[in-house]
Amino acid sequence: MTHDVRGTTSSSGAHVDAASEAAAQGTKGPDELRREIERTRHELGDTVEELAGKMDVKARARARADELRDRAGAMTVQMRSSAAHAGEVGKQHRTQLMAAAGAVVMLAVGAVMVQRRLH
């Protein structure tokens, strides 16, 4: 890239280019303006893409449906895993549960028999 050299001189009498002069005065030079324009174009393009995405209702609905389907699938797997675990725990403690249930029944029968003798 080339710089324009103006016919102006600095206070010391040396020639200065436009960018140096602009920087010294606090204004933006042509290179800085080009970079700012390019940056603004890029930001504008991103904004347009975001707005276009928000306006595409079908795509947003599809994405939301996919998300919900994935969550439902994960919950199904989790529930099946929990049910399988509960079944395994029940199998492991079946004998103890049956013994406890039998003891409760025998206590109830014994209580009924004692009450009949007392009356």
Side-chain angles (χ1 to χ4, degrees), residues 8 27 30 39 52 57 77 85:
T8 60
T27 59
R39 193 170 40 250
V57 177
V77 169
H85 178 69

Side-chain angles (χ1 to χ4, degrees), residues 97-108:
L97 290 172
M98 294 302 281
V104 169
V105 169
M106 292 194 62
L107 283 173

